[in-house]
Amino acid sequence: MHRKNTINRRDFVNGCALSLAAGTAISPLEAVAQDLLDPNALPPDYYPPTRQGLRGSHEGSFEVAHAARDGATFSPVDAGDRAYDLVVVGGGLSGLSAAYFFRKQYGPDARILILDNHDDFGGHAKRNEFTHDGTTLLLNGGTSNIESVEHYGTVAAQLLRSVGIDWREAYAYDRTSDDFYASWDLDSATFFARETFGEDRLVKGSPTRGGPDAARLAAWLARSPMALEAQRDLVRLYTEGVPPGALEALDDWGRKERLARISYRSWLEDAGMHPQVLAWLDDRPKGLFCVGIDAYPALYAWAEGHPGFQQLGLEPFSGVGPLLHVGGGQHGREREEGGGPTIDLPDGNATIARLLVRQMIPEALPGSTLEDSIMARLDYGRLDRPGQPVRIRLDSTAVRVVHEGGPDGPGAVEVTYVQGGRARTVSAEHVVLACWHPVIPYLCPELAPEQKEALQYGEKMPIVYTSVALRNWVPFAELGVRSVTCPGMYHTGFSLGRAPAIGDYRPPRSPRDPMALHMTRTPCDPGKPKREQHRQGRRDLLETSFETFERRIRDQLARGLAGTGFDAARDIVAITVNRWPHGYAYSYDTLADPIEWALFPSEDRPCVLARRRFGRISIANSDAAATPHTDAAIEEGHRAVREQLEVRLLARGGVPARSG
Ligand SMILES: Cc1cc2nc3c(=O)[nH]c(=O)nc-3n(C[C@H](O)[C@H](O)[C@H](O)COP(=O)(O)OP(=O)(O)OC[C@H]3O[C@@H](n4cnc5c(N)ncnc54)[C@H](O)[C@@H]3O)c2cc1C
């Protein structure tokens, strides 16, 4: 555990600086953008997906924005680019989609600039790539999957198709991963940690698989270190549920409304559940809601199938009803109600981002199919070159976006950004802000106070996806487990990475092969209101060092895999901590927000006012839908572009003919 870390970390910021003249240093990316460096001369290891250490919101990506928030001013110079037809702030799935839709309508000559403050594009949809012993391992650093694909509306579904994703084929590839693990007969397990349950113990299997059966459940729990009273309470909870009490007198909707207004924790506490039962369930909502059961509405717990509601006899939400998939609805309900398969590609939805880039800058990602894109190496030197119609400028934080001559005039929009410590301006006929909503009031001082307030209503939900490369996965094969939940621990669990065979990707097949492991952490502050918990979680993430993460990861894996010969110092070969202090879009819930905002797409939700068009500036991002999903990100990019095309139509008396 305490042996010296031998991980070869290559988390360099902005690549190697390039000295051009005495006292001037610019990054290789800037040098390419200014035609001072041939893109082929970019250092061969200029490849962000392989960078390790603290990634996600990496060092160098947030400092400028925080300074702007704190009142810093900038003295920009003209970037020297010709005026753009469209500037997009934010190179996530929403911003990339917006650029794609604009270009589709306007034609291939449309001059588009996409600015993003990270050293890689994709926003949350990032790719992690490890190579060990000649084997390449892929994993998602954020946006994980195409969730419930049949819920995707026309726009998002059509975008997937046009970039080359036939979801049925993609799903068939995804299935090869499950088939592979099934062939090894690997199970799930729970690790009971001594700090929560008095003793470290791994118990294989799921206590409720095949339905809650009292005898089977009791036998499984007897293998755990849980207190006997807690075991009895859990059996009661799963097999009988909680007596309705005062809810007895209410009709179906009345019962649901009551559950909407209390937390799952209160529901369980009022039923006298043992504290270890609460600890056992506390992490369940964290992967989707980034809080524990104290800030998780009991109604959502019921809708997502958590135990305790059997005696209420509630009517399920209708599969075609208005509550099924509303904007701002709870993250995760789709899965409850079907909606088609969820598709995990090897690097998650980073594949969508890469395919969008291929559509707009084909030379950056060679090839033409989904299959050949998986292992194609993206050429970062091709993203921002003079003369190409679409340019993606990384390491570039927008700090000011203002209309020349007011929002109603014919003038252009001036966009100031900071790259490599220098502030520059570009001018654009149209702007789409596909960045995080809370940032926008600092960018656009001209916005009305009520719109600024609405933009800042939602607290982005902090979450961490940690990717760990292992020398091999023999310990998992020995134990016969694929995923381990760890109630109450630093990361809520760990699982073997996805292993679909697709294109030239050769996922691990033998336990002696290297393997990437996924771990999730959601820092929060139990007991406080939800939005305050997210603020505290964000602070926690920005203050936690990589060394702390590394120590916690080693400790958790060493204890969870104890007895297998696993040696953390020897067997962990790389760690990438994808920290997302500004993670999921805030979605309304029935405890923290007015109930109608959570259950209906009502017009008075802050996201509706927040996304209002402002002259030649439109506002996208999944924040605009208050729902943290890829289809929302795409749809909002589409709406924002439609708004600007309408502005163009009215200003010019016609939409430009599509020229290609
Ligand atoms: C860990 C994690 C897992 C997820 N898993 C899933 C999943 O499985 N399925 C799913 O559908 N959704 C998932 N999501 C939700 C995900 O947020 C959306 O699917 C989608 O990727 C969001 O895209 P976006 O473009 O709206 O926002 P983002 O991806 O956040 O992109 C916005 C970009 O704007 C940049 N930006 C902000 N301010 C500025 C500025 N001033 N200047 C320049 N750039 C700026 C940001 O840094 C960011 O790169 C996940 C999110 C996270 C964090």
Side-chain angles (χ1 to χ4, degrees), residues 65 89-95 115-118 120 122-126 140-147 152 331 349 396-399 434-436 439 443 460-461 463-465 580 582-585 621-623 628-631 633:
V89 176
L93 291 174
S94 194
L115 297 168
D116 197 279
N117 55 326
H118 290 94
D120 201 353
H124 296 146
K126 288 282 196 302
N140 55 303
T143 312
S144 182
N145 49 43
I146 303 171
E147 184 177 314
Y152 275 42
H331 192 167
N349 292 4
S396 299
T397 306
V399 288
C435 52
W436 302 324
V439 172
L443 298 183
K460 303 278 291 178
M461 308 193 214
I463 184 164
V464 182
Y465 275 10
W580 298 110
H582 301 271
Y584 296 153
N621 196 277
S622 49
D623 289 354
H629 290 102
T630 289
D631 50 338

Side-chain angles (χ1 to χ4, degrees), residues 32-50:
V32 171
Q34 290 170 34
D35 222 4
L36 298 170
L37 182 68
D38 186 287
N40 297 318
L42 211 60
D45 59 354
Y46 197 98
Y47 191 62
T50 54

